Amino acid sequence: GNSVTQMEGPVTLSEEAFLTINCTYTATGYPSLFWYVQYPGEGLQLLLKATKADDKGSNKGFEATYRKETTSFHLEKGSVQVSDSAVYFCALGTGSARQLTFGSGTQLTVLP
Amino acid sequence: GAGVSQSPRYKVAKRGQDVALRCDPISGHVSLFWYQQALGQGPEFLTYFQNEAQLDKSGLPSDRFFAERPEGSVSTLKIQRTQQEDSAVYLCASSLAGGQGEKLFFGSGTQLSVL
């Protein structure tokens, strides 16, 4: 079956630090990969996605590259801001099943 | 509406009570999903609708859980004879068509506490 393993948190960084949140997956077929973010008091929202191997998703300074050979989709940002404090979820979806499979989430706190 | 709307925002139930959770998706969205999110965990799939048809209910944990979307818009998730392990945040999401790689729009969820 499908599964997503995500770097455990919480992660605490200073403003302008470099961020990496690791995500690896197991899937049948050729999944699409996603990062969703949940800001305090808000619903989950899509941050970025990649639908095939070697694609790079990017948004708001965040990037993640779909690596089929290592089954990974690590999230990176070169310089985090206080406003990036949130919970980040890695997820995958496959063509035969409409639902997404989520990782357990990583809490990020950025200090000024 | 502008986004996916869920009600109530919070629900406290005594063990054994029945509860009904409502989801109002984005207008025109064909696909609707329900997820269950336990504290400190990622969302887990419960069920999926395409219009009024429930195409996948493989994630429903027991026959106490029932979902419907009779007119292809608003959906209700019903939990009968609630138990403490049902305590979680229930998330609803919708998408335009539901294809692989398509963006899901999530509501803020209903936090259910069973005492």
Side-chain angles (χ1 to χ4, degrees):
Chain A
N2 296 338
S3 67
V4 175
T5 302
Q6 200 172 328
M7 173 179 170
E8 288 191 15
V11 174
T12 302
L13 296 174
S14 297
E15 205 165 24
E16 299 184 4
F18 183 84
L19 169 71
T20 300
I21 301 177
N22 289 338
C23 172
T24 58
Y25 67 89
T26 304
T28 53
Y30 302 94
S32 294
L33 300 174
F34 306 82
W35 278 99
Y36 278 81
V37 59
Q38 188 168 32
Y39 297 104
E42 299 184 16
L44 281 159
Q45 52 187 277
L46 180 66
L47 179 60
L48 54 84
K49 71 176 186 181
T51 56
K52 62 182 189 296
D54 300 323
D55 269 2
K56 178 186 285 187
S58 61
N59 186 25
K60 300 182 181 180
F62 290 89
E63 292 183 341
T65 300
Y66 187 160
R67 300 286 189 202
K68 186 179 176 184
E69 61 276 10
T70 54
T71 61
S72 65
F73 193 55
H74 305 320
L75 182 68
E76 297 182 336
K77 186 173 185 181
S79 176
V80 293
Q81 305 300 312
V82 172
S83 57
D84 295 327
S85 298
V87 182
Y88 292 81
F89 293 91
C90 185
L92 70 84
T94 57
S96 60
R98 301 291 187 181
Q99 71 268 28
L100 296 181
T101 300
F102 285 86
S104 57
T106 301
Q107 171 82 54
L108 170 67
T109 301
V110 180
L111 303 176
Chain B
V4 178
S5 178
Q6 291 188 247
S7 61
R9 186 71 180 87
Y10 302 95
K11 177 68 179 176
V12 178
K14 291 183 179 179
R15 191 173 55 182
Q17 279 185 332
D18 297 349
V19 298
L21 313 180
R22 176 188 169 103
C23 172
D24 204 334
I26 293 172
S27 178
H29 277 197
V30 167
S31 296
L32 185 146
F33 302 79
W34 283 99
Y35 287 82
Q36 180 189 58
Q37 186 176 16
L39 187 63
Q41 299 298 313
E44 292 195 358
F45 170 77
L46 293 177
T47 187
Y48 159 66
F49 290 85
Q50 189 171 67
N51 295 306
E52 68 279 3
Q54 188 174 21
L55 298 187
D56 187 345
K57 54 181 181 180
S58 61
L60 295 177
S62 77
D63 59 7
R64 296 186 297 104
F65 287 70
F66 171 77
E68 60 183 4
R69 193 186 185 198
E71 297 179 0
S73 55
V74 171
S75 177
T76 304
L77 177 67
K78 297 179 179 178
I79 309 173
Q80 297 177 321
R81 304 180 304 282
T82 52
Q83 301 178 5
Q84 285 188 319
E85 60 262 31
D86 300 334
S87 296
V89 176
Y90 290 85
L91 300 173
C92 178
S94 69
S95 68
L96 196 56
Q100 182 185 346
E102 192 173 67
K103 177 179 178 179
L104 288 187
F105 294 82
F106 282 84
S108 297
T110 294
Q111 184 170 329
L112 173 65
S113 299
V114 181
L115 306 179

